[in-house]
Amino acid sequence: MSPSGNESSGSTEQFRPAVGDRLEVEIEAVAHGGHMVARPSGFVTFVRYALPGERVIAQVTEVRKAHAFAEAVEVLRAHADRRPATCPAFHPLGCGGCDFQHAERALQLEMKSQVLHEALIRHGRLQKAQVDSLMGQGVRPLGPEYGWRSRMRFGVLRDGEGRSQPALHAHHSADRIAAHQCTIAAPEVLRKAIECAESATEQDVIVVAEGDDAVQARVRADGEDPLDGPDAPRVRHRLVLDDHIVDFRIPLEGFWQADPRLLPELIDAVLAFGEVKPGQHWWDLYAGAGPLAAALGDRTGASGGVQAVEGSASAVRSARRALHGMPWVRLHQADVRDWLTERARSTGDVRGKSVESQLAGIVLDPPRNGAGVAVIDAIAETAVPLLVYVACDPVALGRDTAYLEQRGYRLTRLRAWDAFPQSHHFETVAAFEAVDQIS
């Protein structure tokens, strides 16, 4: 179940809570987004800071037509794997940067696996037996629970003595919570943020990123545009591949995986699921700064080719600098849907007449809301035999899985990692094969 869904309460006319109400509720299960599901008098309520099977007092923070949101302010019956949070900012109505600090790691993994399992059945419309088989290992741990976040943006908050310190927002709120003891920030990132806060004001934001060479930071006015031009501060990330060493220099406020341990795992899964070989031709859609395109290009070699498509001009500039040694990786700054449409228009057929007729596979790494039916339809028109989908949101993956199944693609392989411990987020790579390609 997802808090953004349209679930029916079944008894909304008999009972509707109000903001500020305190309700004694039984927690039924975990929901996507870091919430738990409760149904006081049948009204669906998504509760933070609770765990499955608990009985809590939940304070209502928001009420919508068919459901409400609340935070557990008192635990009457605790889950056996509830634990004290390591971060003093993690508490009801506190910092929104984490969701599960009150749960042991094994329980966090179990809850994330349940969310993925439900998303593939509920939104992907797959059979339970198929999902059980695909998810044999569930969501896997990736690295340490704490100190993993290498890129962060902080606000600024003055304490009672007038000292400025880094801050984060409360969940779905503009309220700021002191974050000078943040436990998920990489130690050097937090140290730099604390240092920058000393000379910052409450109208500023602090952006910090740790690369392979140094920690970079910038203090700017809240609302001021990020710097991404030639003079923007950049952070180096080195990617060591089989035949190439590629240095990416990403703008301080550009996108790179927050946990540096994740990217090698994604690359390994993409190359393994795609069975990428020298001489093959691949498309990398939503390519970002190009790390997956680099890995594909390294494996296909100059006898093959990669078409990498990305809408962000800043990301494409970073990719061009990094991938100049692989001229067979062609970069296109374009909206993915527009690029696919133009490809079809210029060739008369998305399948093309030469290189595209040899297309071995497509890597798809869409934003959090997924690729959507129009992009899935355009991809299906290519008749590509294999699609490798990188997903940061399980519900979006579920929806796109349903679209792909309708267009003749079957989900055949799956890996998922707990790349963001203490939060509800995790990363998944899924392989889809054209049905007539499956023996």
Side-chain angles (χ1 to χ4, degrees):
M1 180 176 289
S2 168
S4 61
N6 296 313
E7 296 82 5
S8 172
S9 70
S11 356
T12 59
E13 293 184 2
Q14 288 75 21
F15 174 78
R16 175 181 294 276
V19 172
D21 283 356
R22 292 195 171 200
L23 311 173
E24 184 173 330
V25 300
E26 292 276 353
I27 302 300
E28 297 180 5
V30 63
H32 178 46
H35 302 81
M36 305 295 144
V37 181
R39 300 175 193 271
S41 299
F43 193 88
V44 174
T45 303
F46 295 102
V47 184
R48 287 174 57 81
Y49 301 104
L51 293 171
E54 291 189 332
R55 188 166 187 84
V56 304
I57 302 296
Q59 180 173 320
V60 178
T61 57
E62 183 181 353
V63 179
R64 298 184 183 177
K65 181 178 180 180
H67 58 267
F69 294 90
E71 303 203 3
V73 295
E74 183 181 349
V75 179
L76 305 177
R77 184 182 66 240
H79 192 288
D81 287 332
R82 175 179 277 272
R83 66 181 182 185
T86 61
C87 180
F90 183 85
H91 54 77
L93 308 175
C95 179
C98 291
D99 306 292
F100 294 148
Q101 286 222 8
H102 57 313
E104 294 286 355
R105 185 75 183 278
L107 179 57
Q108 292 189 36
L109 295 173
E110 180 184 331
M111 290 190 293
K112 293 182 182 187
S113 296
Q114 289 173 358
V115 167
L116 179 57
H117 192 276
E118 181 182 358
L120 292 174
I121 294 174
R122 182 182 179 87
H123 300 281
R125 303 174 189 172
L126 301 180
Q127 295 299 310
K128 181 179 181 299
Q130 180 185 358
V131 178
D132 289 344
S133 176
L134 289 165
M135 287 191 58
Q137 294 185 296
V139 177
R140 315 175 188 187
L142 181 65
E145 288 189 72
Y146 304 104
W148 53 266
R149 194 171 182 88
S150 64
R151 306 179 78 87
M152 292 194 72
R153 173 178 162 168
F154 297 90
V156 179
L157 179 69
R158 289 194 181 277
D159 64 18
E161 298 179 4
R163 295 172 299 193
S164 292
Q165 53 194 352
L168 296 171
H169 287 296
H171 182 68
H172 284 184
S173 170
D175 294 343
R176 296 176 187 175
I177 308 294
H180 61 290
Q181 297 183 60
C182 178
T183 56
I184 63 170
E188 288 302 305
V189 168
L190 184 59
R191 183 194 64 78
K192 192 70 170 179
I194 293 171
E195 176 187 306
C196 290
E198 293 176 357
S199 58
T201 74
E202 290 188 304
Q203 286 69 50
D204 292 331
V205 294
I206 303 167
V207 185
V208 191
E210 182 176 30
D212 295 328
D213 52 350
V215 176
Q216 297 273 8
R218 181 189 179 211
V219 179
R220 62 170 174 81
D222 193 4
E224 181 182 346
D225 289 337
L227 292 175
D228 64 359
D231 298 327
R234 293 179 179 271
V235 181
R236 192 192 77 183
H237 298 282
R238 172 162 286 183
L239 191 59
V240 180
L241 303 168
D242 291 341
D243 296 324
H244 296 81
I245 295 176
V246 185
D247 281 330
F248 292 87
R249 295 193 175 275
I250 306 300
L252 181 60
E253 299 193 52
F255 176 79
W256 195 261
Q257 291 294 347
D259 188 333
R261 288 169 286 266
L262 177 59
L263 186 55
E265 295 287 344
L266 296 180
I267 288 172
D268 180 70
V270 166
L271 296 179
F273 285 7
E275 300 181 0
V276 184
K277 298 178 178 64
Q280 288 184 337
H281 293 273
W282 281 77
W283 290 354
D284 179 15
L285 306 182
Y286 307 98
L292 296 179
L296 292 168
D298 178 78
R299 185 63 61 88
T300 65
S303 60
V306 179
Q307 307 286 336
V309 185
E310 168 58 41
S312 165
S314 176
V316 172
R317 284 196 295 269
S318 296
R320 291 193 194 285
R321 294 186 188 99
L323 300 179
H324 62 85
M326 296 185 194
W328 57 94
V329 178
R330 297 187 59 193
L331 301 165
H332 308 270
Q333 183 195 334
D335 174 83
V336 166
R337 180 178 175 182
D338 291 346
W339 186 82
L340 290 168
T341 301
E342 180 59 32
R343 203 82 178 176
R345 183 182 298 117
S346 63
T347 63
D349 181 346
V350 178
R351 304 176 195 188
K353 303 301 180 184
S354 55
V355 170
E356 282 71 27
S357 66
Q358 307 167 33
L359 188 60
I362 293 175
V363 173
L364 187 65
D365 187 3
R368 191 167 301 281
N369 60 355
V373 65
V375 169
I376 296 299
D377 282 347
I379 288 172
E381 287 300 316
T382 69
V384 65
L386 177 64
L387 176 69
V388 183
Y389 190 123
V390 182
C392 60
D393 185 279
V395 170
L397 173 62
R399 287 195 299 263
D400 285 344
T401 293
Y403 299 148
L404 284 161
E405 293 268 337
Q406 292 167 7
R407 295 305 304 265
Y409 287 85
R410 184 178 302 166
L411 177 58
T412 58
R413 300 177 73 180
L414 192 74
R415 290 185 199 171
W417 301 267
D418 182 25
F420 316 99
Q422 317 312 325
S423 79
H424 71 274
H425 300 289
F426 56 92
E427 199 85 2
T428 308
V429 175
F432 295 86
E433 298 179 41
V435 171
D436 61 2
Q437 300 290 324
I438 302 173
S439 59

